[in-house]
């Protein structure tokens, strides 16, 4: 699942390939931006902001969000792509590299990046990370389920559904518990930071400390399987602010009561 750590790594890869380099090809395969061409421009910088990726070039920002299926690949010139060409939404070439965005959930060209990321809370992997602001944001709605508050990018930028489920388990909190009843939120924020920092350089997330196949997570994706701590059957449910925004939750009814 693309979460803040996935996008952070993608930004690092793209930065190494594009930053400071002159574009020899710019092919944007989105009808709205079909006439936009940054060929000849130099890429000023590449950055991640939560789950968003920002490529700054020619006074504009190429903004992308991976959603569920999106990915960025970098290849040597002329190398064969690992995804079919019809999935490519944008191609940025330099003299030494090809950067291709496949099946990007969102692709925009904007002049002011605040238009697309200005609403975000402090980024767990960004220079703006501020646990005090994150705490204030979470505490602003004490009646809201903590599982929804953690996933709300306006509160904290970077957490996705995998982290949400694992953090709630490790803190012993049912994700449906109101924020005001969810215990010490400072500890929850600190755990969120430590967990994503521990995984930011890994291609495979691990929250249990066990990297063996099938042992990476405590509860996520483990519906009807025994809890790794107490043996109670892991339960599955859905939670969201409305039926169209429901996401999967997994929890141990004994360890998270």
């Amino acid at each position: 699942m693309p979460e803040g750590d996935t996008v952070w790594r993608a930004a690092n890869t793209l930065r190494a390939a594009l930053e400071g380099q002159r574009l020899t090809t710019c092919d944007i395969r989105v009808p709205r931006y079909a006439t936009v061409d940054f060929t000849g421009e130099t890429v000023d910088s590449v950055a991640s902001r939560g789950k968003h990726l920002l490529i700054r070039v020619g006074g504009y920002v190429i903004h992308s969000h991976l959603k569920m299926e999106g990915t960025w690949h970098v290849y040597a010139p002329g190398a064969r792509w690992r995804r079919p060409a019809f999935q490519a939404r944008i191609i940025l070439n330099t003299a030494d590299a090809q950067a291709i965005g496949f099946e990007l959930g969102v692709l925009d060209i904007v002049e002011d990046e605040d238009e697309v990321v200005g609403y975000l809370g402090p980024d767990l992997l960004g220079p703006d990370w501020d646990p005090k602001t994150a705490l204030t944001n979470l505490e602003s709605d004490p009646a809201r389920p903590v599982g929804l508050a953690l996933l709300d990018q306006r509160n904290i930028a970077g957490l996705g559904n995998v982290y949400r489920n694992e953090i709630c388990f490790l803190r012993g909190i049912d994700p449906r518990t109101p924020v005001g009843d969810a215990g010490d939120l400072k500890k929850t924020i600190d755990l969120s930071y430590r967990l994503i920092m521990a995984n930011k350089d890994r291609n495979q997330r691990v929250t249990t400390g066990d990297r063996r196949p099938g042992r990476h997570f405590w509860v996520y994706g483990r519906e009807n399987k025994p809890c790794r701590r107490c043996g109670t059957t892991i339960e599955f449910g859905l939670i969201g602010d409305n039926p169209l925004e429901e996401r999967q939750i997994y929890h141990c009814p004994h360890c998270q009561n």
Side-chain angles (χ1 to χ4, degrees), residues 84-137:
F86 73 83
Q87 293 181 355
R89 298 292 177 265
I90 183 170
I91 302 165
L92 300 173
N93 291 347
T94 70
D96 300 314
Q98 304 177 76
I100 301 98
F102 294 99
E103 293 193 297
L104 301 174
V106 174
L107 181 62
D108 296 312
I109 310 297
V110 298
E111 292 185 77
D112 181 0
E113 63 190 60
D114 280 348
E115 294 179 23
V116 289
V117 297
Y119 71 95
L120 295 174
D123 182 355
L124 285 156
L125 292 173
D128 68 314
W129 173 242
D130 181 357
K132 292 182 179 180
T133 300
L135 178 62
T136 299
N137 292 346

Side-chain angles (χ1 to χ4, degrees), residues 28-227:
I28 304 176
R29 299 178 178 182
V30 175
R32 182 180 178 185
Y33 303 111
T35 61
V36 175
D37 187 358
F38 293 118
T39 300
E41 299 283 354
T42 297
V43 176
D44 297 309
S45 63
V46 180
S48 62
R49 183 80 170 81
K51 300 180 185 181
H52 301 256
L53 202 148
L54 309 169
I55 301 173
R56 304 176 182 113
V57 56
Y60 291 85
V61 178
I62 301 171
H63 162 248
S64 63
H65 193 298
L66 303 181
K67 296 294 185 180
M68 295 297 290
E69 305 296 335
T71 184
W72 279 91
H73 289 187
V74 172
Y75 301 97
R80 185 175 180 177
W81 298 355
R82 298 190 301 276
R83 298 283 287 267
F86 73 83
Q87 293 181 355
R89 298 292 177 265
I90 183 170
I91 302 165
L92 300 173
N93 291 347
T94 70
D96 300 314
Q98 304 177 76
I100 301 98
F102 294 99
E103 293 193 297
L104 301 174
V106 174
L107 181 62
D108 296 312
I109 310 297
V110 298
E111 292 185 77
D112 181 0
E113 63 190 60
D114 280 348
E115 294 179 23
V116 289
V117 297
Y119 71 95
L120 295 174
D123 182 355
L124 285 156
L125 292 173
D128 68 314
W129 173 242
D130 181 357
K132 292 182 179 180
T133 300
L135 178 62
T136 299
N137 292 346
L138 288 178
E139 291 178 333
S140 66
D141 190 353
R144 194 179 192 194
V146 67
L148 293 181
L150 287 172
L151 212 57
D152 190 334
Q153 302 300 294
R154 296 170 297 183
N155 293 333
I156 301 173
L159 295 180
N161 200 31
V162 175
Y163 281 119
R164 183 259 298 272
N165 281 281
E166 296 295 284
I167 288 164
C168 284
F169 174 81
L170 288 166
R171 289 287 295 126
I173 306 166
D174 187 311
R176 296 164 294 195
T177 302
V179 166
D181 298 325
D184 191 336
L185 293 176
K186 290 182 180 179
K187 290 184 178 179
T188 301
I189 290 168
D190 178 64
L191 174 64
S192 301
Y193 177 77
R194 288 187 289 110
L195 203 58
I196 201 167
M197 286 294 290
N199 280 283
K200 66 184 177 66
D201 294 312
R202 297 173 178 163
N203 290 324
Q204 174 64 59
R205 287 187 202 100
V206 178
T207 61
T208 60
D210 190 338
R211 300 190 184 190
R212 291 176 294 176
R215 304 284 297 180
H216 296 163
F217 302 133
W218 292 101
V219 292
Y220 181 78
R222 302 194 65 246
E223 178 186 4
N224 294 326
K225 295 182 179 179
C227 174

Side-chain angles (χ1 to χ4, degrees), residues 241-254:
D241 289 314
N242 59 67
L244 296 178
E245 296 180 354
E246 289 183 330
R247 300 287 299 278
Q248 301 164 334
I249 55 172
Y250 303 86
H251 80 289
C252 171
H254 178 264

